[in-house]
Amino acid sequence: MGKHEVRRRAVFLDRDGVLNRPVVREGRPCPPQSVDEFALYEGVADACTMLKNAGFLLIVVTNQPDVGRGTQSRAAVEAMHTKLRTALPLLDGVEICFHAGSEFGESCDCRKPKPGMLLRAAAAREIDLAQSYLVGDRGRDVDCAYAAGCRAVFIDHGYQESLRKKPHFTAASLSEAAQIILLDSAPQIDLPTAVGSG
């Protein structure tokens, strides 16, 4: 039946600004427009390997609203994800929200900060959200982590954007975020307390 009654833990990974370099315009990060612009940060593969070896599922959760808004093709996004999966074959899944967003008249339950992508992945893969993490570089990622009931690890790139909620942890890169997660998730060792000798 259940293996030691332990549900799986996951690290949910935002895509742009966490795994790959965003294109920054006017102080705000934007997704790459083509597979040629899609470049992983250095150290991402090693960080993912460390997390995978510690028993975490690795699931990308990414908003790609430009598809819903008609300024990006779904085929271009899928080509980038083919490149991503080739570079990071240990990923367990890629969840994508293509919806334009409520400000464009297309609301949904999956566009971060809403937790739909995480909730669906957790239900499908029996993930314990309370023992999981979301690594992101935007305020909506932090809000999404809180909404889903997991811990927020914020990668601070110094964007001109304020956070509504305080992340549980802040890091400069995915490599640093992975080290934080490994330390935070390590089992706490209870030293036996001496019972009265006599």
Side-chain angles (χ1 to χ4, degrees), residues 15-160:
R15 195 193 80 175
D16 306 314
V18 172
L19 299 175
N20 61 281
R21 298 176 188 281
V23 180
V24 179
R25 296 189 185 99
E26 297 173 13
R28 297 189 66 127
C30 301
Q33 288 296 298
S34 69
V35 107
D36 293 336
E37 287 185 342
F38 190 85
L40 292 183
Y41 284 113
E42 200 174 318
V44 161
D46 289 342
C48 287
T49 299
M50 285 167 51
L51 292 168
K52 191 75 175 177
N53 288 344
F56 286 98
L57 295 177
L58 300 177
I59 300 169
V60 176
V61 286
T62 180
N63 291 351
Q64 295 298 323
D66 290 347
V67 174
R69 295 170 192 172
T71 57
Q72 170 70 290
S73 76
R74 192 169 178 142
V77 172
E78 286 169 356
M80 287 183 236
H81 289 164
T82 298
K83 184 175 181 178
L84 178 65
R85 284 179 176 280
T86 301
L88 299 174
L90 36 67
L91 291 176
D92 294 289
V94 178
E95 301 281 336
I96 313 162
C97 173
F98 288 115
H99 300 109
S102 54
E103 67 272 33
F104 288 83
E106 189 178 24
S107 58
C108 62
D109 68 352
C110 53
R111 184 169 190 250
K112 294 178 290 180
K114 292 183 179 171
M117 286 189 282
L118 279 69
L119 298 179
R120 276 197 283 281
R125 298 173 174 89
E126 297 186 338
I127 292 166
D128 182 354
L129 288 168
Q131 297 299 315
S132 298
Y133 299 79
L134 170 56
V135 183
D137 68 327
R138 304 291 301 273
R140 67 174 61 100
D141 297 311
V142 175
D143 294 347
C144 180
Y146 275 94
C150 59
R151 290 170 220 178
V153 185
F154 177 66
I155 295 184
D156 189 354
H157 290 302
Y159 300 141
Q160 295 169 12

